[in-house]
Each structure stands twice: as structure tokens, then as C-alpha cells.
Amino acid sequence: PEVSLYYGPDDGLTFAGRWEKHLAVPNVRPGENQFILEDLDESRPLCVRALLTSESGQFWSLETASSEK
């Protein structure tokens, strides 16, 4: 499977084009994975949502994680 993180100051819901930034998460393994988002502007709110793509289809995380500043 491939996992992409979509993030920015506004929640783009499950619409990839509404997110400010996105990146592919390298070396995804079954189970828990950790990844660090770098170069974030700490003065702005942060919303993050994951998209999993596999042979079975595309699946967005159920909720958007957010950090209000």
C-alpha cells in the first residue's frame, strides 16, 4: 500500500485538491508508522489527513487531525 499525508492550515476533507500540501510517506509497513512533518509554520493551525491507496482502492482516514494555534 501507499500512504500520502495531506496537510495545511485548512481542512480539505477528502478532496485532494483542497489541501495546501501533500507528500508520500516512505517505507510504510503494516501496523503503526511514524513520520515527521518538517518546515511547518508554528504560527498557523495544522490539519492533517491520510490517504491509503492499495489494490483494493483508496481510503481516507475517518477524521482530520488538527492542532489549533
Side-chain angles (χ1 to χ4, degrees), residues 23-37:
L23 56 84
V25 178
N27 306 317
V28 175
R29 299 175 309 279
E32 185 176 320
N33 289 263
Q34 294 183 2
F35 187 78
I36 297 173
L37 292 174

Side-chain angles (χ1 to χ4, degrees), residues 6-41:
Y6 288 79
Y7 61 101
D10 300 309
D11 187 351
L13 302 171
T14 57
F15 302 98
R18 293 185 183 176
W19 289 95
E20 183 175 282
K21 298 179 181 181
H22 73 279
L23 56 84
V25 178
N27 306 317
V28 175
R29 299 175 309 279
E32 185 176 320
N33 289 263
Q34 294 183 2
F35 187 78
I36 297 173
L37 292 174
E38 297 178 345
D39 300 324
L40 297 174
D41 182 348

